[in-house]
Amino acid sequence: MKKTGPRMLGRALLCVLLGLVVGAVGTVMHRVVVTDHLLPVGIVVALLAVLAGGVLARAWTGWAGVIGYAVGWVVAVQVLASKGPGGDLLVPNQTVGLVWVYGGMAVIAIVAFLPWSWFSEQPLRSGVASAPAPQIVTGSSRRTPTGQIGTDA
């Protein structure tokens, strides 16, 4: 069944909003590290959030949702990556910033090219069992293959 009309448009717009939120929160939080061991937990959690949002958008709306989500994410990241009024940057030209920008785009691209069957509501195989194959009767059976009593001649 094809999803069209105002319902799909509304879902696609909500996916844009989801992309804006994930992009904004990820841009602010991608530089978080555990100071004792310098573990980059912020970038890992931010990229996992991008993955989760992309899978949600694809499963909920299909291609329109993924495109809307990607547009919202890119707009949020690019607006927040530019210089602020005081000259501050949330995404400086460092490894973690580049991993956030390009890694997030790669995650969205991976979600976009996952097999469609993973997001389909149709079962891969029908649940109907096929009829059993007819049995060949040999020997001195009292029943023929049709179930009638007779001879094996």
Side-chain angles (χ1 to χ4, degrees):
M1 180 166 97
K2 251 183 138 67
K3 301 174 187 174
T4 58
R7 188 174 194 174
M8 185 175 121
L9 181 64
R11 287 181 176 182
L13 290 176
L14 285 173
C15 289
V16 172
L17 181 64
L18 177 65
L20 286 169
V21 170
V22 170
V25 172
T27 301
V28 172
M29 299 302 295
H30 77 278
R31 295 178 52 97
V32 172
V33 295
V34 175
T35 55
D36 293 343
H37 304 289
L38 295 177
L39 295 173
V41 294
I43 190 68
V44 172
V45 171
L47 289 175
L48 286 175
V50 172
L51 177 67
V55 168
L56 172 73
R58 173 99 187 261
W60 195 34
T61 310
W63 280 101
V66 172
I67 292 170
Y69 177 76
V71 166
W73 185 86
V74 168
V75 166
V77 170
Q78 292 305 310
V79 167
L80 292 175
S82 61
K83 284 188 180 182
D88 294 335
L89 287 172
L90 289 176
V91 185
N93 190 11
Q94 295 175 344
T95 304
V96 71
L98 295 174
V99 168
W100 167 239
V101 174
Y102 295 117
M105 284 191 263
V107 167
I108 292 174
I110 289 169
V111 168
F113 291 108
L114 287 175
W116 68 269
S117 61
W118 291 5
F119 303 99
S120 175
E121 295 176 4
Q122 302 294 328
L124 293 177
R125 294 179 188 91
S126 64
V128 178
S130 62
Q135 296 180 3
I136 299 174
V137 178
T138 60
S140 59
S141 171
R142 290 186 40 120
R143 296 193 178 262
T144 62
T146 60
Q148 303 296 324
I149 295 177
T151 63
D152 290 338

